[in-house]
Amino acid sequence: MPNVIYKTRNFLPLVCYLLTGTAVTTVSQVIANKHFISDSVQALACVKYASTLAVSLSSAAFAASPEKLTTIPANTQKRTRRSMQRQLILVIGCIDVLAYAAFCTGFAYCDGAVATLVLAGGGQLFTAIMSKYILKKQLSQSQVLGVALVCIGLCIRGLGPLLSSSQASAPMEEDARQRLYIGLASLLFASIAYSLLGVIYQTLVSTGDDPPSHSDIMLQSSIIGLAAMAGYEVFHVLPKWRFLVIKPMQTSGTTAGQATFWLAAFGAVYNCHSYAAGMVFRTDGAQGVGMVNAVRGASVALVSHAFFCSPAKPLQCLTTSSAASAATVTIGGIVWVQGSRSDQATQKKVQ
């Protein structure tokens, strides 16, 4: 019985991470479908950083202990290492802003089902490339097979809508095709940026015997992200406030209270998702996160078809090509994770 309880407790974080990740995409899609604010406002990015900062500050205050990165060590070597940690966190914060802005653009142009699948598959692909050429890690046969399956799945998803276009609706299809190209390019850029962020994060947590905690990193990076978004809002959004905010709300018939509710819901669900990610990292490591991200592409495809599929939103519908793509990317992600887990087990036996 104790063994069963232990396995159940290890399984629950994975389920929570999958459910909250699917919920984040679902709420984001609801907000996008309501059209109560222009995509160029980057409202979700602002809510993400503001809510993450609020939660991080609350956690730090509740812990009643000073943050590690704000203290100045007496040892010269530790001061140098702390300075390098701050520099890496600054880079992480800047990359995260660019990556999330690109993801939001891709989400707006391709919708949630495609965005989640491409980000998960692209993340596996570019993580494999950076692991080999930056971290100098050797890929196993299982990992190579997993990357190949991910590439095939992404090609199926990317070419499916383009190959099914009809000549009768050429002008509309051409416009949709251009939006799809822009969205896919944004999502691929986000995949590269997030993969690079993972490499830098791994470097950061391996700096010396006193690496910053996850809460330290979240607090500092959220400050950087919120500062960057504040500058963007002041110089880009405020001069066009009526056109980018007021007019869309009037056109969609959304009140300020309703808009606030949905944005607050996104912030709450996103922070739950971040907390679940931390749980998975502690119980199953990066392999567990990779496994859930792979499966989430399929779960989001099913949810999107159930709630958002319509003639106006064809990319949200589960077609033969989209189902085959989701299944292929999911299997590829699982094969990649299992290959990584087998390699780690082999290394532990050798040691």
Side-chain angles (χ1 to χ4, degrees), residues 147-168:
V147 171
L149 289 172
V150 166
C151 292
I152 293 173
L154 292 178
C155 290
I156 294 173
R157 183 72 202 202
L159 295 177
L162 302 180
L163 297 176
S164 62
S165 61
S166 61
Q167 296 295 328

Side-chain angles (χ1 to χ4, degrees), residues 1-31:
M1 180 64 70
N3 190 36
V4 173
I5 295 176
Y6 175 76
K7 290 181 178 179
T8 302
R9 288 177 177 174
N10 274 357
F11 184 67
L12 285 177
L14 296 173
V15 175
C16 291
Y17 185 50
L18 175 63
L19 294 178
T20 54
T22 305
V24 167
T25 304
T26 303
V27 174
S28 301
Q29 191 62 59
V30 170
I31 293 174

Side-chain angles (χ1 to χ4, degrees), residues 133-214:
Y133 293 104
I134 296 180
L135 298 179
K136 304 300 182 181
K137 292 184 177 181
Q138 293 297 322
L139 301 181
S140 66
Q141 292 182 348
S142 296
Q143 289 174 312
V144 172
L145 176 60
V147 171
L149 289 172
V150 166
C151 292
I152 293 173
L154 292 178
C155 290
I156 294 173
R157 183 72 202 202
L159 295 177
L162 302 180
L163 297 176
S164 62
S165 61
S166 61
Q167 296 295 328
S169 56
M172 178 66 70
E173 289 296 333
E174 183 63 27
D175 178 68
R177 186 178 301 185
Q178 291 178 0
R179 287 179 60 85
L180 183 61
Y181 284 148
I182 296 174
L184 290 175
S186 299
L187 292 170
L188 289 177
F189 175 82
S191 299
I192 296 173
Y194 277 127
S195 298
L196 179 60
L197 192 150
V199 171
I200 299 174
Y201 186 93
Q202 184 172 340
T203 303
L204 175 62
V205 297
S206 62
T207 54
D209 56 355
D210 60 340
S213 66
H214 181 70

Side-chain angles (χ1 to χ4, degrees), residues 282-306:
R282 288 192 296 270
T283 58
D284 292 87
Q287 288 76 22
V289 174
M291 177 82 75
V292 175
N293 286 338
V295 175
R296 190 171 64 186
S299 68
V300 169
L302 294 174
V303 172
S304 297
H305 178 79

Side-chain angles (χ1 to χ4, degrees), residues 74-107:
N75 184 279
T76 303
Q77 185 178 3
K78 286 187 176 182
R79 284 203 302 269
T80 302
R81 187 161 57 243
R82 188 64 46 78
S83 176
M84 186 185 72
Q85 291 173 350
R86 291 197 184 102
Q87 292 174 4
L88 289 176
I89 288 180
L90 176 62
V91 174
I92 287 176
C94 294
I95 292 177
D96 185 67
V97 170
L98 295 175
Y100 196 71
F103 173 73
C104 289
T105 301
F107 191 100

Side-chain angles (χ1 to χ4, degrees), residues 235-307:
F235 291 103
H236 175 72
V237 177
L238 284 182
K240 305 176 183 177
W241 183 262
R242 176 171 292 277
F243 176 75
L244 296 177
V245 178
I246 296 179
K247 187 176 179 180
M249 288 183 63
Q250 292 175 342
T251 304
S252 63
T254 304
T255 65
Q258 292 172 333
T260 302
F261 168 79
W262 283 111
L263 293 176
F266 170 80
V269 174
Y270 182 86
N271 275 278
C272 290
H273 181 57
S274 296
Y275 179 74
M279 292 171 58
V280 173
F281 266 115
R282 288 192 296 270
T283 58
D284 292 87
Q287 288 76 22
V289 174
M291 177 82 75
V292 175
N293 286 338
V295 175
R296 190 171 64 186
S299 68
V300 169
L302 294 174
V303 172
S304 297
H305 178 79
F307 293 101

